[in-house]
Amino acid sequence: MTPVPQPLAFVAADTADACAARQRLAQRYGGVPPEEAGIIVALGGDGFLLETLHRYLTLGTPVYGMNRGSVGFLLNDFSEDGLSARLMRAQRVVLHPLRMTATRQDGSVTDGLAFNEVSLLRETRQAAKLRVMVDGVERMEELVCDGALVSTPAGSTAYNLSAHGPILPLGADILALTPISAFRPRRWRGALLPHTAKIRFDVLEPAKRPVSAVADFTEVRDVARVEIHEDRGVASTLLFDPELALEERILKEQFTP
């Protein structure tokens, strides 16, 4: 068994490749439950890495992801060799999630955390109508759209980029507010906001034009109001190989044709 600098926990997505990799790595490097680990090694894709961050958030344990999925933007390359050395020289990135407070039409309230983005999406064939408030000031009286999202820098290359939102440098302390298929104002492309901003969406005509809200994995149907802010009281640490640092990946993505 290869010695490691601190106890490791290996967790894997529910796929054959990921589960087989977990078994081989645990045999080679040893493995403990996540509650006893100094580092959690997550094997899967970007979605599974986000699940791991949420599942073990209260432990405060750094997570080192290796790609056993498809895209793997938030993950390191997979290799069974030299894991101890890679972990010892890995760079740390601290992520603060967005906190979503969604109030449904019946008055019930649901909280959720999002390391990538909080998105609002229409539920029917009709476009959503949203009022946009920032720090208590009405910034847009009516946005007619398929939806809208607020993204962190770490999540800016995911759904936000697909919706033609901007890529945000990791240390920029900025959030992206991006419309999804905006109909009116037709040419509005969104806004860049300071990370301290408190954003509120009011759903207009909610009975006729119902809207759902999603914070990573927390989905709330038939919302009337959604409030979003960055929660600096919550943090999760990701580990990256120096040559594949997240900041460099995000910068490089801006020059990808």
Side-chain angles (χ1 to χ4, degrees), residues 28 54 107 109 125 172 212:
R28 182 168 179 177
H54 282 273
V109 178
R125 72 188 191 287
S212 64

Side-chain angles (χ1 to χ4, degrees), residues 11-233:
V11 296
D14 189 20
T15 65
D17 283 347
C19 291
R22 177 182 60 188
Q23 184 175 3
R24 293 193 302 270
L25 288 166
Q27 289 176 346
R28 182 168 179 177
Y29 296 98
V32 299
E35 294 75 16
E36 302 174 12
I39 296 174
I40 296 173
V41 179
L43 305 162
D46 286 329
F48 180 73
L49 181 69
L50 287 175
E51 289 180 24
T52 302
L53 294 180
H54 282 273
R55 185 173 300 145
Y56 302 112
L57 182 60
T58 58
L59 298 179
T61 306
V63 176
Y64 180 86
M66 286 201 287
N67 190 12
R68 289 283 82 189
S70 51
V71 178
F73 187 83
L74 295 174
L75 298 153
N76 300 286
D77 293 336
F78 177 78
S79 175
E80 297 178 24
D81 299 325
L83 181 57
S84 299
R86 292 174 73 180
L87 293 174
M88 290 181 68
R89 65 189 185 94
Q91 295 183 352
R92 293 178 172 238
V93 173
V94 178
L95 303 180
H96 298 286
L98 300 173
R99 181 171 293 278
M100 173 189 77
T101 302
T103 303
R104 299 182 71 243
Q105 295 178 39
D106 64 8
S108 59
V109 178
T110 301
D111 282 344
L113 293 176
F115 286 98
N116 266 4
E117 76 278 320
V118 174
S119 56
L120 281 74
L121 304 165
R122 65 173 179 155
E123 295 180 9
T124 68
R125 72 188 191 287
Q126 290 188 299
K129 288 188 176 181
L130 307 173
R131 178 188 298 117
V132 182
M133 310 278 292
V134 179
D135 292 330
V137 178
E138 182 183 277
R139 294 299 181 182
M140 187 165 290
E141 181 179 359
E142 182 179 274
L143 170 63
V144 183
C145 56
D146 280 353
L149 62 87
V150 177
S151 171
T152 67
S156 66
T157 60
Y159 192 8
N160 174 70
L161 182 59
S162 297
H164 307 291
I167 296 175
L168 305 178
L170 198 58
D173 286 339
I174 288 174
L175 304 176
L177 194 169
T178 303
I180 302 170
S181 300
F183 181 64
R184 287 195 183 95
R186 193 179 294 272
R187 299 185 186 280
W188 190 61
R189 300 299 299 270
L192 296 176
L193 303 173
H195 73 96
T196 55
K198 299 184 186 304
I199 303 142
R200 170 174 159 173
F201 294 100
D202 292 318
V203 179
L204 308 178
E205 303 178 26
K208 182 182 179 182
R209 303 169 184 269
V211 170
S212 64
V214 182
D216 282 357
F217 304 106
T218 302
E219 181 175 1
V220 187
R221 306 281 290 182
D222 302 331
V223 297
R225 181 174 68 253
V226 178
E227 297 164 284
I228 304 162
H229 70 277
E230 185 185 69
D231 192 339
R232 287 266 162 162

